[in-house]
Amino acid sequence: MPCLRLHRPIWLLLAVTGSLGSLSALAGGWHQSISLPITLEYDTNPTLSSTDKTELWRARFAPAYNLTGTFGLDEFKAGLGVMIERPSDRNVVAARQDPNLALGWRRLTETGEYGLTAKYDKASTQSTELQETGRVVRDGTRTTKSLLGNWRSAISERSTLAADAQHTAVAYDSGTSTSYKNLSTGLTFSHAWSARAEPFLRVSASRYEPDSALVSSSNLYTVMGGLKYLSSENLEWTAQAGVARVSGSASDTGWLGSFVMRYVAARSDYSLDIGRSVSPSGEGGFIQSDQAKGAWTYSIDALTRAGLDASVRKTKGTSPNTMHLLGAWVSHDLSHFWSSRLYYQYKQRQQTGQDNASANVLGVTLVYTHPDF
């Protein structure tokens, strides 16, 4: 059974928490929260390999500290965390301690708001690539740095104009993935047609710059139109569709779209998300993904909840594949600060020319959360 040990990221997190612990007493505008989840998990095939299946146990400890300050029209946010993982077999999955940091500022205006958000995080290349693109790669570390600026303003009684720009740098320290930088910008116009309906139009552009001289740069241009609709107090949905154009060494034009729905009943919550998207990746450019996912949550009583979720994602690229996920979970609030969660997930990966790969994951999580101390 893997054990957890405190390392420098934990001591840094505790030191920051302790040094900021008196902020609420010194200034009423500051609010801080902390979350301490501990997870023990059993995975029958963590690499989702079709030829070399190796089961293992792993323990995760992911403390997170969040600080929010509101002063007049300005709001400041900061988040600091670390994910520590210890597997039973380090020849299959490496032991990790990945930090993450987020800083944000937002200012309200008479007609809207504007702000900046900076993020930094490290994560397992093997885990993130499998989750996002379905690729099976050698494990390493993916480092992501991003800076986002956004602005929103009402231009009439019912119409709103919003703009955003983001620069993202992604670096891989091993494997066949390509490190890259991506600069994206977008403009969105929305109009409150009625109390229930809000049509919108969005145009965006992205520039993909690989760090490797062996890979060409590429551009992505999209035009999307859609409608947000509130059918009732319980049901809301958003539908959008448009076209995307990728230009570069391999140019292509295709359609994009999505349908997102949520229904909230007295004790149940249903959600559905179907769509096609194009996003930058470590494969050397933009990749297309088709996805359908649904979730159901049920409140058994005031303290206990249960749920089911399922998804299918088909990804194009250098390794076209289809991922199937099916999960079930139950959670229980032990007290105001403590909660527990038991979960199960079945994963299957399909790729032409290879045998199907599958895995069963069973885990339990104990969480301590203090929302404002």
Side-chain angles (χ1 to χ4, degrees):
M1 194 74 65
C3 63
L4 295 178
R5 294 176 295 176
L6 291 177
H7 291 273
R8 278 180 288 182
I10 289 295
W11 291 119
L12 175 61
L13 183 65
L14 294 176
V16 171
T17 303
S19 64
L20 295 174
S22 60
L23 282 174
S24 295
L26 295 176
W30 289 107
H31 299 279
Q32 46 193 335
S33 63
I34 191 169
S35 176
L36 303 172
I38 301 176
T39 299
L40 182 62
E41 186 177 88
Y42 172 73
D43 195 330
T44 62
N45 189 5
T47 62
L48 215 57
S49 172
S50 59
T51 57
D52 185 17
K53 299 181 180 180
T54 304
E55 60 187 34
L56 56 74
W57 289 86
R58 54 187 163 198
R60 294 194 185 101
F61 181 41
Y65 171 81
N66 292 284
L67 177 68
T68 302
T70 303
F71 304 93
L73 300 177
D74 295 295
E75 180 183 71
F76 300 90
K77 288 186 176 182
L80 175 65
V82 61
M83 198 287 290
I84 297 177
E85 180 177 310
R86 294 295 180 264
S88 59
D89 189 343
R90 301 191 181 188
N91 293 320
V92 179
V93 175
R96 309 194 60 84
Q97 45 190 47
D98 298 321
N100 61 81
L101 173 67
L103 299 171
W105 163 72
R106 183 182 67 155
R107 183 175 180 83
L108 300 178
T109 67
E110 293 182 357
T111 58
E113 63 181 21
Y114 57 88
L116 292 171
T117 302
K119 293 183 179 181
Y120 170 88
D121 73 81
K122 288 188 174 183
S124 163
T125 302
Q126 187 180 77
S127 176
T128 54
E129 289 299 304
L130 192 59
Q131 292 175 9
E132 297 175 7
T133 67
R135 288 199 306 152
V136 177
V137 298
R138 184 161 58 95
D139 202 9
T141 298
R142 185 183 78 172
T143 303
T144 304
K145 306 173 186 177
S146 66
L147 178 63
L148 168 66
N150 62 281
W151 167 86
R152 179 180 58 84
S153 178
I155 56 178
S156 71
E157 184 178 352
R158 292 190 173 187
S159 300
T160 301
L161 190 64
D164 57 84
Q166 180 169 336
H167 181 269
T168 303
V170 178
Y172 301 91
D173 67 354
S174 63
T176 57
S177 299
T178 301
S179 300
Y180 65 90
K181 297 177 179 64
N182 187 72
L183 177 62
S184 62
T185 183
L187 188 67
T188 305
F189 171 80
S190 60
H191 179 76
W193 203 345
S194 67
R196 294 180 179 273
E198 182 180 321
F200 61 90
L201 176 67
R202 177 173 173 80
V203 294
S204 63
S206 298
R207 172 70 173 176
Y208 182 95
E209 291 282 356
D211 289 352
S212 172
L214 302 176
V215 181
S216 301
S217 302
S218 56
N219 300 312
L220 170 65
Y221 307 97
T222 65
V223 179
M224 300 279 286
L227 175 67
K228 296 180 180 179
Y229 193 78
L230 181 64
S231 298
S232 66
E233 294 182 356
N234 305 98
L235 176 63
E236 61 180 7
W237 54 265
T238 301
Q240 59 180 337
V243 295
R245 169 71 177 174
V246 176
S247 63
S249 57
S251 299
D252 190 21
T253 302
W255 68 271
L256 296 178
S258 67
F259 177 78
V260 180
M261 182 197 72
R262 185 184 181 190
Y263 178 79
V264 180
R267 301 177 68 175
S268 300
D269 191 328
Y270 306 85
S271 65
L272 178 67
D273 188 343
I274 303 173
R276 170 176 290 182
S277 61
V278 177
S279 58
S281 76
E283 294 192 35
F286 297 98
I287 61 169
Q288 175 185 298
S289 296
D290 296 331
Q291 179 171 278
K293 58 182 178 181
W296 167 75
T297 302
Y298 180 75
S299 296
I300 299 174
D301 56 41
L303 301 177
T304 309
R305 295 171 300 280
L308 299 172
D309 52 81
S311 68
V312 179
R313 187 190 65 237
K314 185 176 182 180
T315 305
K316 294 184 177 180
T318 57
S319 303
N321 65 85
T322 301
M323 285 283 295
H324 300 265
L325 299 176
L326 179 64
W329 58 268
V330 59
S331 66
H332 182 73
D333 293 335
L334 303 173
S335 69
H336 183 67
F337 299 113
W338 289 93
S339 64
S340 61
R341 181 183 178 97
L342 176 68
Y343 62 90
Y344 166 79
Q345 185 181 62
Y346 172 78
K347 301 183 289 185
Q348 185 189 68
R349 180 180 183 273
Q350 300 174 346
Q351 182 173 335
T352 303
Q354 296 184 8
D355 294 334
N356 293 346
S358 62
N360 293 280
V361 180
L362 181 64
V364 60
T365 301
L366 182 65
V367 185
Y368 173 81
T369 304
H370 201 306
D372 190 11
F373 66 96

